[in-house]
Amino acid sequence: MSDPLWRDSPHHDLSVAPGHDHEDIGPPASFATRVLLAAAVVLALVVGAGTTWWLFAQNSTGPTTATEAAVTEPCSETLLRVVAAPEIAPVVREAARGLSPGGGCGPISVTAQEPAVTASSPQQPDVWIPSSSVWLRIALVGSVNAYRVDGPPIARSPVVLAAPAAVASKYANGDRTTWLRLMTGVAGHEIPAVTMPDPLHSSVGMLAVYAVQSAMARSTPDSGIAQLRALTLRSRLKDASADPAELLRRVAGQTDAGAVAEDVGVFPITEQQLTMYQRGGNAVPLKGSYPSDGLIEADYPFAVSTSTKHPDLAERLRAAITMPAVTDAGFRSYSMPQALEVPPASEKLLDPALQWAQYRAFAFQVLLLIDSSGSMNKPATDKTGKATTKAGLLRRSGLAAAQLFGDETSIGMWTFNTPTPASPPHAEVVPFGPITGTLGAATRRDALARAITGYTAPDQAGTPLFQTVLDARATMRPRVRPQTITMIILLSDGADAESKYAMPKKTFLTRLAKESDPNRAVPVIGVGFGPDADMATLNDIAKATGGKAIAAKDPADLASAMAKAFLAAHSPPPS
């Protein structure tokens, strides 16, 4: 890849400068990680503390690769035990070999190991060179050990989006692209496939997810819409738990670029990994592009344990790792302009990574119930301070949400109101069926987007909430089938009132309980829209149906509330 704008700086020295500031990385502080879990379709918000959940994930769900082998015991002459990320281990090993007087079994042992494995290992090295400094902050839960970092990272490598040239042309201009362009391309089926590494086990995966979240936040002032956009990309992934090195091996074994496009498609790797692949002269060339809206780098800190008995030997090793050796191996010795800073608080990366990893692309059957009573025309203000109405905010947020439903979803949409005494309680706006199916000349997804974009509410209309919920559950209950989540998403800003269908809440809840079938569960996720929403009633509905009630007290927070609903619905059941 040509890179005329970012060249090696002749003044950047990787050796430790006298008097350079240092940082001690001790045991990580505990933090609250919000985890949305679902038991089948029972949705609950769970708050966990500390990084112990991450260690559990390593012991229960992570991929096993050749680079995750256990650390071997060093020979008797070893004084300094070093563990380095696999891609930089050869550079470190060569430097260590130069400090060994007779070669072979010397004073320094270097083991190549993925940082996620090292972080969860009870046996910690004297020197650790992970592929991101964030690992230093999430490792060693409950340990008294600590690491000291003197000087800048010994190497850097930006995360790039790699794909065969024919695919890259669909989302990149030259070697530049954006995560937002990738999201819209995959949502619109212009890009055949996108593959991502597991963010809980891979530095590239963790950094890429943070970059996606940052890019989507830049694309809109509404944090909820940003979340929905990030989830849209997540929902379209062909594989969300790939190993980058294994992906490259798979691609290297192919001779047909078209097959690679369908099998793997676009995937993030480090620039160094792409450089090594390109040097290999493989049959299918890969093109790399830099996401300008979320450029992030893998950095390789040289971290020395505060308990090592040979800190002087560690300093000699660092000095022996030269800039030419680093750049010859495909790394950079400097940070790229506009690269995102890796946040010092580990939860800033781990929270998005956990949300991403917990997402499950279940087969869904969803009926949307949208309140279109007169109160939806009440004034509201969006996130930018612009005056609008509740209906206007719903049009914007709903349109973003419409893109989130995966291709495995079947969906329909009703609106409910009674503009006249003789009006029925609800109207079918989008007939139920596969979201990829056709309605006339368009897909059902397009019809859903058009319906939401054209949503209006009369100035005066009653709210037949209870009758609509009863009818909706009766409609969806026969559709329940194994391995599929059947649910109702209800959005309302008011209470059941001002219609001939109105009934006492006690009567409604009695009917709701009587008509429930534990073998054909149809939970209701109720989003209360605005400060006057009847959350007590929505909570009663959620409790009776095994669903969830989510408050969007500020109408401008509707998108965030809908994002929470989707996160909850796509999370796995607790173990």
Side-chain angles (χ1 to χ4, degrees):
M1 296 174 294
S2 62
D3 188 7
L5 299 179
W6 302 313
R7 295 190 173 88
D8 288 329
S9 169
H11 304 294
H12 192 112
D13 188 358
L14 291 181
S15 62
V16 180
H20 196 286
D21 291 340
H22 68 266
E23 178 183 5
D24 287 330
I25 308 294
S30 64
F31 61 89
T33 301
R34 291 180 297 276
V35 186
L36 287 166
L37 300 174
V41 290
V42 180
L43 310 171
L45 187 65
V46 180
V47 178
T51 55
T52 51
W53 65 264
W54 179 84
L55 285 180
F56 175 79
Q58 309 316 299
N59 294 329
S60 61
T61 61
T64 301
T65 69
T67 56
E68 293 187 354
V71 177
T72 56
E73 286 297 320
C75 55
S76 58
E77 292 89 344
T78 297
L79 303 177
L80 194 74
R81 188 165 162 269
V82 181
V83 172
E87 62 271 23
I88 202 167
V91 177
V92 180
R93 190 173 288 119
E94 187 62 28
R97 190 175 293 117
L99 299 177
S100 177
C105 202
I108 302 174
S109 72
V110 179
T111 300
Q113 192 174 72
E114 291 291 348
V117 180
T118 312
S120 58
S121 172
Q123 188 177 19
Q124 296 300 315
D126 297 300
V127 174
W128 187 17
I129 309 174
S131 46
S132 175
S133 56
V134 72
W135 292 108
L136 301 176
R137 297 180 175 90
I138 66 175
L140 313 175
V141 175
S143 172
V144 297
N145 203 353
Y147 282 101
R148 181 186 180 95
V149 178
D150 286 300
I154 62 172
R156 297 178 186 271
S157 189
V159 173
V160 299
L161 288 171
V167 177
S169 65
K170 299 179 182 297
Y171 64 88
N173 294 321
D175 61 359
R176 298 293 182 269
T177 187
T178 65
W179 293 105
L180 183 62
R181 178 67 188 90
L182 180 69
M183 184 277 290
T184 55
V186 71
H189 299 279
E190 300 171 28
I191 298 170
V194 176
T195 301
M196 288 280 283
D198 185 338
L200 298 184
H201 298 84
S202 159
S203 293
V204 170
M206 186 182 298
L207 294 172
V209 168
Y210 179 72
V212 169
Q213 298 280 351
S214 299
M216 299 310 160
R218 289 183 180 184
S219 72
T220 172
D222 192 307
S223 61
I225 291 178
Q227 281 184 287
L228 290 175
R229 287 177 177 171
L231 282 175
T232 296
L233 178 58
R234 174 62 183 86
S235 70
R236 300 301 200 278
L237 296 183
K238 185 166 187 178
D239 185 353
S241 59
D243 174 67
E246 178 59 30
L247 279 179
L248 287 172
R249 283 192 289 270
R250 279 169 56 187
V251 175
Q254 296 272 8
T255 58
D256 181 2
V260 172
E262 294 294 332
D263 178 42
V264 177
V266 186
F267 58 102
I269 53 175
T270 64
E271 180 189 61
Q272 187 269 345
Q273 290 173 312
L274 179 59
T275 298
M276 293 298 102
Y277 177 89
Q278 291 171 333
R279 290 179 184 176
N282 296 289
V284 177
L286 293 177
K287 181 178 176 59
S289 51
Y290 304 88
S292 60
D293 58 347
L295 181 65
I296 196 164
E297 297 175 321
D299 66 325
Y300 295 79
F302 191 92
V304 181
S305 172
T306 56
S307 63
T308 185
K309 297 178 180 178
H310 300 281
D312 55 334
L313 186 56
E315 293 301 324
R316 289 177 58 201
L317 174 62
R318 176 174 180 124
I321 301 172
T322 65
M323 184 188 299
V326 167
T327 55
D328 285 350
F331 295 95
R332 292 174 182 254
S333 59
Y334 62 96
S335 182
M336 292 178 69
Q338 288 83 49
L340 295 170
E341 291 288 336
V342 175
S346 56
E347 67 265 28
K348 295 295 185 181
L349 276 86
L350 287 174
D351 281 356
L354 183 61
Q355 286 184 350
W356 194 274
Q358 294 281 2
Y359 183 97
R360 295 295 182 269
F362 298 122
F364 270 80
Q365 297 185 125
V366 179
L367 182 57
L368 296 177
L369 304 181
I370 308 297
D371 186 341
S372 56
S373 59
S375 57
M376 293 297 287
N377 292 317
K378 288 183 178 180
T381 303
D382 68 14
K383 289 288 189 180
T384 66
K386 182 180 178 181
T388 181
T389 63
K390 290 182 180 181
L393 289 171
L394 187 146
R395 283 191 290 269
R396 283 183 51 210
S397 302
L399 189 60
Q403 290 298 323
L404 182 61
F405 292 107
D407 288 350
E408 70 286 348
T409 302
S410 291
I411 196 166
M413 175 177 161
W414 293 1
T415 57
F416 60 95
N417 67 5
T418 51
T420 69
S423 298
H426 45 77
E428 183 180 67
V429 179
V430 178
F432 184 86
I435 199 166
T436 55
T438 57
L439 286 174
T443 66
R444 184 170 275 98
R445 186 191 299 279
D446 292 336
L448 182 65
R450 282 200 309 271
I452 293 173
T453 302
Y455 165 86
T456 60
D459 290 334
Q460 299 293 327
T463 312
L465 173 64
F466 291 163
Q467 187 62 53
T468 299
V469 170
L470 291 171
D471 291 349
R473 295 189 83 229
T475 298
M476 295 303 290
R477 196 178 299 115
R479 301 183 187 277
V480 174
R481 64 176 188 269
Q483 308 303 317
T484 300
I485 293 179
T486 303
M487 63 193 303
I488 293 166
I489 296 180
L490 164 67
L491 191 147
S492 178
D493 76 330
D496 184 76
E498 301 178 357
S499 81
K500 67 179 182 181
Y501 305 98
M503 66 185 77
K505 185 193 291 189
K506 184 177 180 181
T507 301
F508 164 66
L509 292 176
T510 299
R511 288 185 58 184
L512 199 61
K514 184 179 180 180
E515 296 173 10
S516 293
D517 181 352
N519 296 319
R520 291 182 173 274
V522 182
V524 178
I525 295 180
V527 178
F529 191 28
D532 55 348
D534 186 355
M535 290 307 301
T537 295
L538 290 180
N539 275 297
D540 288 339
I541 294 172
K543 184 177 180 180
T545 63
K548 175 99 181 147
I550 300 170
K553 293 182 179 180
D554 181 346
D557 288 333
L558 172 61
S560 295
M562 294 182 75
K564 289 178 182 178
F566 282 111
L567 279 170
H570 286 80
S571 296
S575 56

PDB file of all heavy atoms in Angstrom, residues 91-125:
ATOM      1  N   VAL A  91      10.920 -10.476  16.006  1.00  0.00           N
ATOM      2  CA  VAL A  91      11.810  -9.323  16.176  1.00  0.00           C
ATOM      3  C   VAL A  91      12.429  -9.343  17.569  1.00  0.00           C
ATOM      4  O   VAL A  91      13.640  -9.125  17.738  1.00  0.00           O
ATOM      5  CB  VAL A  91      11.033  -8.000  15.975  1.00  0.00           C
ATOM      6  CG1 VAL A  91      11.936  -6.799  16.233  1.00  0.00           C
ATOM      7  CG2 VAL A  91      10.458  -7.935  14.570  1.00  0.00           C
ATOM      8  N   VAL A  92      11.618  -9.623  18.577  1.00  0.00           N
ATOM      9  CA  VAL A  92      12.107  -9.660  19.955  1.00  0.00           C
ATOM     10  C   VAL A  92      13.062 -10.828  20.149  1.00  0.00           C
ATOM     11  O   VAL A  92      14.097 -10.704  20.807  1.00  0.00           O
ATOM     12  CB  VAL A  92      10.920  -9.759  20.931  1.00  0.00           C
ATOM     13  CG1 VAL A  92      11.406  -9.801  22.381  1.00  0.00           C
ATOM     14  CG2 VAL A  92       9.961  -8.593  20.727  1.00  0.00           C
ATOM     15  N   ARG A  93      12.736 -11.953  19.550  1.00  0.00           N
ATOM     16  CA  ARG A  93      13.593 -13.139  19.692  1.00  0.00           C
ATOM     17  C   ARG A  93      14.957 -12.902  19.064  1.00  0.00           C
ATOM     18  O   ARG A  93      15.985 -13.318  19.611  1.00  0.00           O
ATOM     19  CB  ARG A  93      12.889 -14.334  19.043  1.00  0.00           C
ATOM     20  CG  ARG A  93      13.551 -15.668  19.332  1.00  0.00           C
ATOM     21  CD  ARG A  93      12.721 -16.821  18.799  1.00  0.00           C
ATOM     22  NE  ARG A  93      11.505 -17.032  19.577  1.00  0.00           N
ATOM     23  CZ  ARG A  93      10.279 -16.945  19.100  1.00  0.00           C
ATOM     24  NH1 ARG A  93      10.094 -16.633  17.819  1.00  0.00           N
ATOM     25  NH2 ARG A  93       9.231 -17.156  19.867  1.00  0.00           N
ATOM     26  N   GLU A  94      14.984 -12.212  17.922  1.00  0.00           N
ATOM     27  CA  GLU A  94      16.266 -11.925  17.282  1.00  0.00           C
ATOM     28  C   GLU A  94      17.111 -10.996  18.145  1.00  0.00           C
ATOM     29  O   GLU A  94      18.337 -11.167  18.260  1.00  0.00           O
ATOM     30  CB  GLU A  94      16.033 -11.298  15.905  1.00  0.00           C
ATOM     31  CG  GLU A  94      17.291 -11.111  15.076  1.00  0.00           C
ATOM     32  CD  GLU A  94      17.988 -12.414  14.749  1.00  0.00           C
ATOM     33  OE1 GLU A  94      17.312 -13.470  14.675  1.00  0.00           O
ATOM     34  OE2 GLU A  94      19.227 -12.384  14.583  1.00  0.00           O
ATOM     35  N   ALA A  95      16.465 -10.008  18.773  1.00  0.00           N
ATOM     36  CA  ALA A  95      17.205  -9.108  19.668  1.00  0.00           C
ATOM     37  C   ALA A  95      17.735  -9.865  20.877  1.00  0.00           C
ATOM     38  O   ALA A  95      18.862  -9.628  21.325  1.00  0.00           O
ATOM     39  CB  ALA A  95      16.292  -7.968  20.112  1.00  0.00           C
ATOM     40  N   ALA A  96      16.935 -10.786  21.422  1.00  0.00           N
ATOM     41  CA  ALA A  96      17.372 -11.578  22.570  1.00  0.00           C
ATOM     42  C   ALA A  96      18.532 -12.489  22.201  1.00  0.00           C
ATOM     43  O   ALA A  96      19.467 -12.686  22.994  1.00  0.00           O
ATOM     44  CB  ALA A  96      16.202 -12.407  23.103  1.00  0.00           C
ATOM     45  N   ARG A  97      18.502 -13.018  20.980  1.00  0.00           N
ATOM     46  CA  ARG A  97      19.575 -13.892  20.531  1.00  0.00           C
ATOM     47  C   ARG A  97      20.909 -13.145  20.496  1.00  0.00           C
ATOM     48  O   ARG A  97      21.960 -13.701  20.770  1.00  0.00           O
ATOM     49  CB  ARG A  97      19.224 -14.465  19.159  1.00  0.00           C
ATOM     50  CG  ARG A  97      20.164 -15.571  18.688  1.00  0.00           C
ATOM     51  CD  ARG A  97      19.700 -16.186  17.372  1.00  0.00           C
ATOM     52  NE  ARG A  97      18.442 -16.921  17.556  1.00  0.00           N
ATOM     53  CZ  ARG A  97      17.301 -16.613  16.968  1.00  0.00           C
ATOM     54  NH1 ARG A  97      17.236 -15.566  16.152  1.00  0.00           N
ATOM     55  NH2 ARG A  97      16.224 -17.333  17.183  1.00  0.00           N
ATOM     56  N   GLY A  98      20.863 -11.852  20.169  1.00  0.00           N
ATOM     57  CA  GLY A  98      22.086 -11.065  20.143  1.00  0.00           C
ATOM     58  C   GLY A  98      22.683 -10.840  21.517  1.00  0.00           C
ATOM     59  O   GLY A  98      23.864 -10.492  21.638  1.00  0.00           O
ATOM     60  N   LEU A  99      21.869 -11.021  22.560  1.00  0.00           N
ATOM     61  CA  LEU A  99      22.365 -10.864  23.932  1.00  0.00           C
ATOM     62  C   LEU A  99      22.794 -12.180  24.551  1.00  0.00           C
ATOM     63  O   LEU A  99      23.196 -12.229  25.711  1.00  0.00           O
ATOM     64  CB  LEU A  99      21.282 -10.230  24.811  1.00  0.00           C
ATOM     65  CG  LEU A  99      20.818  -8.831  24.398  1.00  0.00           C
ATOM     66  CD1 LEU A  99      19.696  -8.353  25.298  1.00  0.00           C
ATOM     67  CD2 LEU A  99      21.990  -7.859  24.428  1.00  0.00           C
ATOM     68  N   SER A 100      22.685 -13.257  23.794  1.00  0.00           N
ATOM     69  CA  SER A 100      23.081 -14.584  24.274  1.00  0.00           C
ATOM     70  C   SER A 100      24.487 -14.889  23.769  1.00  0.00           C
ATOM     71  O   SER A 100      24.716 -14.977  22.555  1.00  0.00           O
ATOM     72  CB  SER A 100      22.106 -15.644  23.758  1.00  0.00           C
ATOM     73  OG  SER A 100      22.516 -16.927  24.150  1.00  0.00           O
ATOM     74  N   PRO A 101      25.460 -15.035  24.659  1.00  0.00           N
ATOM     75  CA  PRO A 101      26.857 -15.194  24.219  1.00  0.00           C
ATOM     76  C   PRO A 101      27.110 -16.419  23.359  1.00  0.00           C
ATOM     77  O   PRO A 101      27.867 -16.378  22.398  1.00  0.00           O
ATOM     78  CB  PRO A 101      27.626 -15.272  25.548  1.00  0.00           C
ATOM     79  CG  PRO A 101      26.610 -15.672  26.570  1.00  0.00           C
ATOM     80  CD  PRO A 101      25.331 -15.084  26.113  1.00  0.00           C
ATOM     81  N   GLY A 102      26.445 -17.532  23.663  1.00  0.00           N
ATOM     82  CA  GLY A 102      26.738 -18.744  22.902  1.00  0.00           C
ATOM     83  C   GLY A 102      25.601 -19.226  22.053  1.00  0.00           C
ATOM     84  O   GLY A 102      25.653 -20.291  21.450  1.00  0.00           O
ATOM     85  N   GLY A 103      24.489 -18.452  21.973  1.00  0.00           N
ATOM     86  CA  GLY A 103      23.320 -18.901  21.237  1.00  0.00           C
ATOM     87  C   GLY A 103      22.628 -20.029  21.973  1.00  0.00           C
ATOM     88  O   GLY A 103      23.023 -20.431  23.076  1.00  0.00           O
ATOM     89  N   GLY A 104      21.618 -20.556  21.398  1.00  0.00           N
ATOM     90  CA  GLY A 104      20.885 -21.655  22.023  1.00  0.00           C
ATOM     91  C   GLY A 104      20.179 -21.184  23.279  1.00  0.00           C
ATOM     92  O   GLY A 104      19.482 -20.182  23.299  1.00  0.00           O
ATOM     93  N   CYS A 105      20.387 -21.907  24.371  1.00  0.00           N
ATOM     94  CA  CYS A 105      19.716 -21.612  25.634  1.00  0.00           C
ATOM     95  C   CYS A 105      20.435 -20.445  26.302  1.00  0.00           C
ATOM     96  O   CYS A 105      21.516 -20.600  26.865  1.00  0.00           O
ATOM     97  CB  CYS A 105      19.739 -22.852  26.517  1.00  0.00           C
ATOM     98  SG  CYS A 105      18.469 -22.875  27.775  1.00  0.00           S
ATOM     99  N   GLY A 106      19.876 -19.249  26.219  1.00  0.00           N
ATOM    100  CA  GLY A 106      20.529 -18.060  26.730  1.00  0.00           C
ATOM    101  C   GLY A 106      19.819 -17.471  27.924  1.00  0.00           C
ATOM    102  O   GLY A 106      18.897 -18.064  28.478  1.00  0.00           O
ATOM    103  N   PRO A 107      20.188 -16.257  28.308  1.00  0.00           N
ATOM    104  CA  PRO A 107      19.596 -15.622  29.500  1.00  0.00           C
ATOM    105  C   PRO A 107      18.165 -15.133  29.299  1.00  0.00           C
ATOM    106  O   PRO A 107      17.483 -14.833  30.266  1.00  0.00           O
ATOM    107  CB  PRO A 107      20.543 -14.455  29.772  1.00  0.00           C
ATOM    108  CG  PRO A 107      21.114 -14.119  28.418  1.00  0.00           C
ATOM    109  CD  PRO A 107      21.247 -15.424  27.703  1.00  0.00           C
ATOM    110  N   ILE A 108      17.716 -15.051  28.030  1.00  0.00           N
ATOM    111  CA  ILE A 108      16.380 -14.522  27.761  1.00  0.00           C
ATOM    112  C   ILE A 108      15.587 -15.544  26.944  1.00  0.00           C
ATOM    113  O   ILE A 108      16.050 -16.004  25.900  1.00  0.00           O
ATOM    114  CB  ILE A 108      16.456 -13.196  26.980  1.00  0.00           C
ATOM    115  CG1 ILE A 108      17.281 -12.157  27.744  1.00  0.00           C
ATOM    116  CG2 ILE A 108      15.056 -12.651  26.706  1.00  0.00           C
ATOM    117  CD1 ILE A 108      17.512 -10.879  26.977  1.00  0.00           C
ATOM    118  N   SER A 109      14.404 -15.891  27.431  1.00  0.00           N
ATOM    119  CA  SER A 109      13.500 -16.748  26.646  1.00  0.00           C
ATOM    120  C   SER A 109      12.368 -15.886  26.119  1.00  0.00           C
ATOM    121  O   SER A 109      11.849 -15.026  26.832  1.00  0.00           O
ATOM    122  CB  SER A 109      12.941 -17.892  27.512  1.00  0.00           C
ATOM    123  OG  SER A 109      12.006 -17.405  28.439  1.00  0.00           O
ATOM    124  N   VAL A 110      11.994 -16.103  24.861  1.00  0.00           N
ATOM    125  CA  VAL A 110      10.916 -15.336  24.235  1.00  0.00           C
ATOM    126  C   VAL A 110       9.856 -16.305  23.737  1.00  0.00           C
ATOM    127  O   VAL A 110      10.151 -17.201  22.945  1.00  0.00           O
ATOM    128  CB  VAL A 110      11.441 -14.473  23.070  1.00  0.00           C
ATOM    129  CG1 VAL A 110      10.288 -13.705  22.434  1.00  0.00           C
ATOM    130  CG2 VAL A 110      12.530 -13.526  23.542  1.00  0.00           C
ATOM    131  N   THR A 111       8.640 -16.120  24.212  1.00  0.00           N
ATOM    132  CA  THR A 111       7.515 -16.970  23.822  1.00  0.00           C
ATOM    133  C   THR A 111       6.492 -16.134  23.075  1.00  0.00           C
ATOM    134  O   THR A 111       6.132 -15.038  23.521  1.00  0.00           O
ATOM    135  CB  THR A 111       6.860 -17.606  25.062  1.00  0.00           C
ATOM    136  OG1 THR A 111       7.831 -18.402  25.741  1.00  0.00           O
ATOM    137  CG2 THR A 111       5.673 -18.475  24.665  1.00  0.00           C
ATOM    138  N   ALA A 112       6.033 -16.632  21.942  1.00  0.00           N
ATOM    139  CA  ALA A 112       4.967 -15.968  21.187  1.00  0.00           C
ATOM    140  C   ALA A 112       3.622 -16.427  21.733  1.00  0.00           C
ATOM    141  O   ALA A 112       3.353 -17.637  21.805  1.00  0.00           O
ATOM    142  CB  ALA A 112       5.081 -16.304  19.706  1.00  0.00           C
ATOM    143  N   GLN A 113       2.782 -15.450  22.118  1.00  0.00           N
ATOM    144  CA  GLN A 113       1.496 -15.815  22.696  1.00  0.00           C
ATOM    145  C   GLN A 113       0.502 -14.671  22.521  1.00  0.00           C
ATOM    146  O   GLN A 113       0.859 -13.494  22.651  1.00  0.00           O
ATOM    147  CB  GLN A 113       1.645 -16.131  24.179  1.00  0.00           C
ATOM    148  CG  GLN A 113       0.426 -16.788  24.798  1.00  0.00           C
ATOM    149  CD  GLN A 113       0.692 -17.204  26.234  1.00  0.00           C
ATOM    150  OE1 GLN A 113       0.774 -16.358  27.108  1.00  0.00           O
ATOM    151  NE2 GLN A 113       0.848 -18.498  26.462  1.00  0.00           N
ATOM    152  N   GLU A 114      -0.735 -15.022  22.204  1.00  0.00           N
ATOM    153  CA  GLU A 114      -1.774 -14.008  22.086  1.00  0.00           C
ATOM    154  C   GLU A 114      -1.982 -13.329  23.435  1.00  0.00           C
ATOM    155  O   GLU A 114      -1.990 -13.984  24.477  1.00  0.00           O
ATOM    156  CB  GLU A 114      -3.086 -14.625  21.607  1.00  0.00           C
ATOM    157  CG  GLU A 114      -3.080 -15.107  20.180  1.00  0.00           C
ATOM    158  CD  GLU A 114      -3.005 -13.975  19.172  1.00  0.00           C
ATOM    159  OE1 GLU A 114      -3.180 -12.816  19.577  1.00  0.00           O
ATOM    160  OE2 GLU A 114      -2.784 -14.270  17.974  1.00  0.00           O
ATOM    161  N   PRO A 115      -2.161 -12.002  23.442  1.00  0.00           N
ATOM    162  CA  PRO A 115      -2.312 -11.282  24.715  1.00  0.00           C
ATOM    163  C   PRO A 115      -3.459 -11.779  25.579  1.00  0.00           C
ATOM    164  O   PRO A 115      -3.370 -11.763  26.805  1.00  0.00           O
ATOM    165  CB  PRO A 115      -2.534  -9.835  24.270  1.00  0.00           C
ATOM    166  CG  PRO A 115      -1.896  -9.749  22.929  1.00  0.00           C
ATOM    167  CD  PRO A 115      -2.096 -11.083  22.292  1.00  0.00           C
ATOM    168  N   ALA A 116      -4.563 -12.200  24.960  1.00  0.00           N
ATOM    169  CA  ALA A 116      -5.699 -12.672  25.755  1.00  0.00           C
ATOM    170  C   ALA A 116      -5.328 -13.885  26.584  1.00  0.00           C
ATOM    171  O   ALA A 116      -5.844 -14.077  27.689  1.00  0.00           O
ATOM    172  CB  ALA A 116      -6.873 -13.002  24.837  1.00  0.00           C
ATOM    173  N   VAL A 117      -4.434 -14.720  26.062  1.00  0.00           N
ATOM    174  CA  VAL A 117      -3.994 -15.901  26.799  1.00  0.00           C
ATOM    175  C   VAL A 117      -3.078 -15.488  27.942  1.00  0.00           C
ATOM    176  O   VAL A 117      -3.215 -15.950  29.075  1.00  0.00           O
ATOM    177  CB  VAL A 117      -3.289 -16.893  25.857  1.00  0.00           C
ATOM    178  CG1 VAL A 117      -2.826 -18.117  26.632  1.00  0.00           C
ATOM    179  CG2 VAL A 117      -4.219 -17.311  24.733  1.00  0.00           C
ATOM    180  N   THR A 118      -2.139 -14.607  27.647  1.00  0.00           N
ATOM    181  CA  THR A 118      -1.223 -14.135  28.685  1.00  0.00           C
ATOM    182  C   THR A 118      -1.983 -13.434  29.803  1.00  0.00           C
ATOM    183  O   THR A 118      -1.691 -13.616  30.984  1.00  0.00           O
ATOM    184  CB  THR A 118      -0.185 -13.156  28.089  1.00  0.00           C
ATOM    185  OG1 THR A 118       0.365 -13.715  26.904  1.00  0.00           O
ATOM    186  CG2 THR A 118       0.925 -12.859  29.083  1.00  0.00           C
ATOM    187  N   ALA A 119      -2.965 -12.630  29.434  1.00  0.00           N
ATOM    188  CA  ALA A 119      -3.712 -11.847  30.421  1.00  0.00           C
ATOM    189  C   ALA A 119      -4.430 -12.733  31.421  1.00  0.00           C
ATOM    190  O   ALA A 119      -4.609 -12.344  32.580  1.00  0.00           O
ATOM    191  CB  ALA A 119      -4.701 -10.935  29.716  1.00  0.00           C
ATOM    192  N   SER A 120      -4.858 -13.924  31.000  1.00  0.00           N
ATOM    193  CA  SER A 120      -5.614 -14.802  31.888  1.00  0.00           C
ATOM    194  C   SER A 120      -4.764 -15.909  32.485  1.00  0.00           C
ATOM    195  O   SER A 120      -5.272 -16.773  33.195  1.00  0.00           O
ATOM    196  CB  SER A 120      -6.791 -15.416  31.126  1.00  0.00           C
ATOM    197  OG  SER A 120      -6.329 -16.143  29.999  1.00  0.00           O
ATOM    198  N   SER A 121      -3.466 -15.870  32.224  1.00  0.00           N
ATOM    199  CA  SER A 121      -2.578 -16.910  32.733  1.00  0.00           C
ATOM    200  C   SER A 121      -2.146 -16.602  34.169  1.00  0.00           C
ATOM    201  O   SER A 121      -1.836 -15.460  34.498  1.00  0.00           O
ATOM    202  CB  SER A 121      -1.337 -17.014  31.840  1.00  0.00           C
ATOM    203  OG  SER A 121      -0.383 -17.892  32.420  1.00  0.00           O
ATOM    204  N   PRO A 122      -2.100 -17.608  35.036  1.00  0.00           N
ATOM    205  CA  PRO A 122      -1.646 -17.363  36.413  1.00  0.00           C
ATOM    206  C   PRO A 122      -0.148 -17.099  36.494  1.00  0.00           C
ATOM    207  O   PRO A 122       0.338 -16.546  37.476  1.00  0.00           O
ATOM    208  CB  PRO A 122      -2.032 -18.653  37.137  1.00  0.00           C
ATOM    209  CG  PRO A 122      -2.059 -19.700  36.073  1.00  0.00           C
ATOM    210  CD  PRO A 122      -2.516 -19.004  34.828  1.00  0.00           C
ATOM    211  N   GLN A 123       0.591 -17.503  35.456  1.00  0.00           N
ATOM    212  CA  GLN A 123       2.041 -17.323  35.439  1.00  0.00           C
ATOM    213  C   GLN A 123       2.377 -16.150  34.519  1.00  0.00           C
ATOM    214  O   GLN A 123       2.202 -16.232  33.311  1.00  0.00           O
ATOM    215  CB  GLN A 123       2.724 -18.599  34.947  1.00  0.00           C
ATOM    216  CG  GLN A 123       4.242 -18.566  35.076  1.00  0.00           C
ATOM    217  CD  GLN A 123       4.869 -19.878  34.637  1.00  0.00           C
ATOM    218  OE1 GLN A 123       4.237 -20.661  33.926  1.00  0.00           O
ATOM    219  NE2 GLN A 123       6.102 -20.119  35.048  1.00  0.00           N
ATOM    220  N   GLN A 124       2.841 -15.051  35.101  1.00  0.00           N
ATOM    221  CA  GLN A 124       3.092 -13.844  34.335  1.00  0.00           C
ATOM    222  C   GLN A 124       4.572 -13.676  34.015  1.00  0.00           C
ATOM    223  O   GLN A 124       5.433 -14.036  34.819  1.00  0.00           O
ATOM    224  CB  GLN A 124       2.581 -12.620  35.094  1.00  0.00           C
ATOM    225  CG  GLN A 124       1.074 -12.608  35.302  1.00  0.00           C
ATOM    226  CD  GLN A 124       0.317 -12.616  33.991  1.00  0.00           C
ATOM    227  OE1 GLN A 124       0.642 -11.882  33.067  1.00  0.00           O
ATOM    228  NE2 GLN A 124      -0.703 -13.463  33.888  1.00  0.00           N
ATOM    229  N   PRO A 125       4.893 -13.128  32.839  1.00  0.00           N
ATOM    230  CA  PRO A 125       6.293 -13.005  32.420  1.00  0.00           C
ATOM    231  C   PRO A 125       6.995 -11.824  33.079  1.00  0.00           C
ATOM    232  O   PRO A 125       6.361 -10.944  33.671  1.00  0.00           O
ATOM    233  CB  PRO A 125       6.164 -12.791  30.912  1.00  0.00           C
ATOM    234  CG  PRO A 125       4.850 -12.088  30.758  1.00  0.00           C
ATOM    235  CD  PRO A 125       3.955 -12.678  31.797  1.00  0.00           C
TER     236      PRO A 125
END
